[in-house]
Amino acid sequence: MTLKISIDAGSSTAPYEQLRAQISEQARSGRLPVGYKLPTVRGLAEELGLAANTVAKAYRVLEADGVIETRGRGGTFVAPAADAAARQAASAAAAYAAEARRLGLTRTDALTAVTDALRAAYGD
């Protein structure tokens, strides 16, 4: 199992975001199993030709999202992200439902709003 990352220098997407998205997708899909040790910030930066701060930023966002966990000097590992993502999504959904009800939206209007938002986010 190896980390496979490709950074497109010509892309309008920032390199740290490309890195974050690829690691996140590989972790969530299982191509990077839970417990997989990621390269050091410096090591990955050198391998990809990026600044260390770029990789560090991606790692910080991934850790905040629950995709990876840092164990001090022990390294950075893929976390059981599916559980963290599901918890965050459920929390966001509950907050949305409470806000929609507070605003007086009907169930149908609330569902329409979230369906439209998901369509826009996923490009459907």
Side-chain angles (χ1 to χ4, degrees):
M1 192 70 41
T2 59
L3 179 64
K4 293 179 181 163
I5 301 292
S6 174
I7 302 298
D8 180 0
S11 173
S12 62
T13 303
Y16 91 89
E17 177 56 24
Q18 292 180 52
L19 178 59
R20 184 214 58 80
Q22 290 178 54
I23 291 174
S24 180
E25 191 280 323
Q26 290 178 42
R28 292 184 201 286
S29 71
R31 280 183 279 162
L32 291 178
V34 171
Y36 177 83
K37 186 172 183 177
L38 294 168
T40 64
V41 167
R42 284 192 183 123
L44 188 55
E46 286 178 18
E47 182 181 326
L48 297 174
L50 297 172
N53 285 339
T54 300
V55 175
K57 183 175 182 178
Y59 275 19
R60 280 192 303 274
V61 174
L62 287 163
E63 188 161 26
D65 289 347
V67 176
I68 64 173
E69 58 189 13
T70 302
R71 301 177 190 160
R73 295 202 176 270
T76 303
F77 299 84
V78 173
D83 293 340
R87 283 192 306 273
Q88 287 178 348
S91 177
Y96 171 75
E99 183 67 6
R101 185 169 186 181
R102 187 189 71 73
L103 292 169
L105 295 178
T106 66
R107 181 185 201 111
T108 301
D109 290 343
L111 282 171
T112 298
V114 79
T115 300
D116 291 345
L118 288 168
R119 189 173 292 119
Y122 286 91
D124 296 347

